Amino acid sequence: MQSLELFERAKKVAPGGVHSPVRSFKGLDHHPIFFKKAQGAYLTSVEDKTYIDFCQSFGPLILGHQDPDVKEEVHRMIDTAWTFGACEIYSLELAEWMTQNLPWMEKLRFVSSGTEAVMSALRVARAATNRKKILKFEGCYHGHADQLLVKAGSGLAGTSASSSAGISPEVAATTLVTPLDNIEQLREVFKVQGSEIAAVIIEPLPANYGLLVQRQEFLKELSTLCKTHGALLIFDEVISGFRTAFGGMVELTGIKPDLVTYGKVIGGGFPVGCYGGRKDLMDLVAPSGDVYQAGTLSANPVGMRAGLRTLQKMKSIDGWKVLNQRTEKFCQKLQKGFDDMKAPVTISYHSSLFWIHGRVKEPIRTIEQIPAGQGENFKKLFLKCLDKGVYLAPNAYEVGFISLAHTDEILNDAADKILQAAKEVF
Ligand SMILES: *Cc1c(COP(=O)(O)O)cnc(C)c1O
């Protein structure tokens, strides 16, 4: 059966035919492709067409699909146990490994998604400070918890201006929002409401509304303001953690947040989230403290094993260095190609993340700086790429992810295809 037909069936049983909105190809004038197989850097559709995959499940697969070492580990775990709902040795190993290798993670808790990690970290922050308000930044996405669906990311970009239906105004009102890259406005917010802010949460590398690389000064000032006003600083590293570097943006910026959230890469392709940081804060969590947070399948052993193996493998081969070099080469080749054909296109990149957008002279740091026509231009390029066997994340505001399975050869092939697509579009 073909994708279109399957999508018609799916729409009868799931809202919009999907189980997460950004998979739906909304606004792209095309039905989603249904896949049946994935291997390394490639996806295979039900039509038996192969695609070079730059979505990689939206980030978790830093080693690519079905990495053989992770696969072996997962098979071994499946033959041992699937879930205990009790104390076991697998989460202990990952937790010890993380706390030993990431000095800011003094204590941590595993959950099953990035959303859960963020929700829980905020609960801890409110309990620790006895304050109500949370400050977030325009364009940062922190999962779908009520309090955070305010001016969030790609799945919402271009649809409704802010949050979501079904969120009580009282809850939304406790979330303050300020623009990225604007120190004056940030100071103003703190001046007026600083004593009420429990925590500031930020994606230190915002990558859910395009790629909005922040200035070090901005992050530094944020950290200083938090300290001055007694607000906790939470780095949401669900996308950047174990992606931009082993130590993520904490390592790259040298800024030490009070709490950090992880997801995506940490589970090696299985549903794992994690929050942690200062020991005194984490000790507020039940059962040692009175911040309740629990999960039936939390610290699922298969996810723990896949995660640990993924991270250890990346670390042992310095995978981040390799990835960053390949990404740079790939993006520079693309940019040169766009320039040569005078296509009005710029490719922004950071570590192994990239984002294609309209031509700009200065780096884009806020959502206002995104050139007009992003949706329309992306759609055209996306569809041509699809045709040529390149699968970009199906949304104009999602970044592309490069995995270790994307060899230089595959990336060259992909760049040629993307440039050919651009030639036909622009
Ligand atoms: C993906 C993401 C989340 C949400 O994680 P889920 O596992 O999808 O719930 C939260 N924060 C950031 C920065 C993310 O990229």
Side-chain angles (χ1 to χ4, degrees), residues 40-85:
Y42 295 96
L43 292 169
T44 307
S45 71
V46 292
E47 291 88 5
D48 273 321
K49 180 167 169 159
T50 59
Y51 297 84
I52 301 173
D53 179 18
F54 286 110
C55 182
Q56 294 290 324
S57 198
F58 292 98
L61 299 168
I62 199 161
L63 296 172
H65 295 278
Q66 294 204 67
D67 174 81
D69 295 314
V70 178
K71 191 172 183 167
E72 190 191 347
E73 199 68 45
V74 166
H75 280 169
R76 198 176 304 143
M77 193 65 236
I78 292 274
D79 285 338
T80 309
W82 295 2
T83 178
F84 295 94

Side-chain angles (χ1 to χ4, degrees), residues 107-408:
K107 246 183 198 186
L108 57 82
R109 163 104 12 121
F110 292 119
V111 292
S112 301
S113 70
T115 296
E116 260 187 281
V118 168
M119 267 169 52
S120 312
L122 293 181
R123 191 175 298 148
V124 170
R126 287 193 166 109
T129 57
N130 208 12
R131 297 176 179 182
K132 274 193 196 153
K133 291 185 180 166
I134 300 296
L135 175 63
K136 78 178 283 288
F137 295 89
E138 230 171 279
C140 284
Y141 177 67
H142 302 291
H144 65 87
D146 282 8
Q147 50 192 324
L148 286 164
L149 277 181
V150 183
K151 300 208 173 177
S154 64
L156 301 161
T159 54
S160 71
S162 66
S163 54
S164 151
I167 290 173
S168 82
E170 291 80 4
V171 168
T174 60
T175 305
L176 311 172
V177 186
T178 187
L180 287 161
D181 194 45
N182 190 326
I183 292 183
E184 276 64 49
Q185 286 208 37
L186 187 60
R187 285 190 185 133
E188 191 56 32
V189 173
F190 270 100
K191 202 167 117 195
V192 179
Q193 311 191 67
S195 63
E196 297 169 70
I197 299 174
V200 180
I201 183 161
I202 188 166
E203 291 179 72
L205 176 67
N208 278 289
Y209 204 124
L211 185 62
L212 310 171
V213 182
Q214 296 302 294
R215 293 173 213 268
Q216 174 77 6
E217 307 94 90
F218 178 71
L219 296 172
K220 262 248 138 35
E221 179 67 15
L222 171 60
S223 162
T224 306
L225 284 166
C226 283
K227 282 202 182 78
T228 310
H229 292 268
L232 301 183
L233 177 60
I234 304 174
F235 269 12
D236 181 357
E237 295 236 49
V238 171
I239 210 165
S240 55
F242 306 113
R243 162 65 64 180
T244 57
F246 170 61
M249 297 307 285
V250 180
E251 176 187 320
L252 295 185
T253 62
I255 295 169
K256 191 173 165 225
D258 300 289
L259 293 168
V260 185
T261 56
Y262 295 100
K264 300 195 169 100
V265 175
I266 197 179
F270 290 82
V272 177
C274 172
Y275 67 105
R278 272 170 47 193
K279 183 175 169 303
D280 61 312
L281 296 174
M282 291 308 291
D283 279 335
L284 297 173
V285 178
S288 57
D290 50 14
V291 175
Y292 195 71
Q293 184 273 309
T296 302
L297 291 171
S298 285
N300 174 266
V302 182
M304 296 292 105
R305 276 318 214 198
L308 183 60
R309 191 59 188 253
T310 298
L311 301 180
Q312 283 180 334
K313 179 168 177 174
M314 282 294 289
K315 200 158 188 283
S316 70
I317 58 177
D318 203 355
W320 292 279
K321 195 172 159 196
V322 180
L323 267 181
N324 296 358
Q325 283 168 350
R326 284 189 198 161
T327 305
E328 174 146 59
K329 219 165 117 192
F330 170 68
C331 290
Q332 284 177 353
K333 175 172 169 154
L334 279 176
Q335 189 62 63
K336 185 172 181 305
F338 293 141
D339 293 347
D340 288 349
M341 70 178 80
K342 299 194 161 47
V345 179
T346 299
I347 183 160
S348 296
Y349 61 95
H350 183 289
S351 51
S352 50
L353 303 171
F354 69 89
W355 181 45
I356 302 172
H357 52 78
R359 187 168 282 279
V360 289
K361 291 203 184 75
E362 296 291 321
I364 302 178
R365 303 190 198 280
T366 70
I367 60 177
E368 280 78 27
Q369 293 162 353
I370 300 172
Q374 175 64 9
E376 204 47 38
N377 290 331
F378 176 80
K379 177 174 83 183
K380 290 187 207 141
L381 187 67
F382 172 83
L383 292 174
K384 282 276 184 232
C385 285
L386 202 62
D387 196 42
K388 296 183 190 311
V390 173
Y391 188 77
L392 299 170
N395 182 294
Y397 301 89
E398 282 288 342
V399 294
F401 297 90
I402 292 178
S403 80
L404 265 190
H406 291 78
T407 59
D408 282 324

Side-chain angles (χ1 to χ4, degrees), residues 25-50:
F25 280 41
K26 198 171 173 182
L28 294 175
D29 295 341
H30 198 288
H31 57 82
I33 308 294
F34 276 64
F35 295 105
K36 61 177 184 186
K37 225 167 64 184
Q39 178 69 60
Y42 295 96
L43 292 169
T44 307
S45 71
V46 292
E47 291 88 5
D48 273 321
K49 180 167 169 159
T50 59

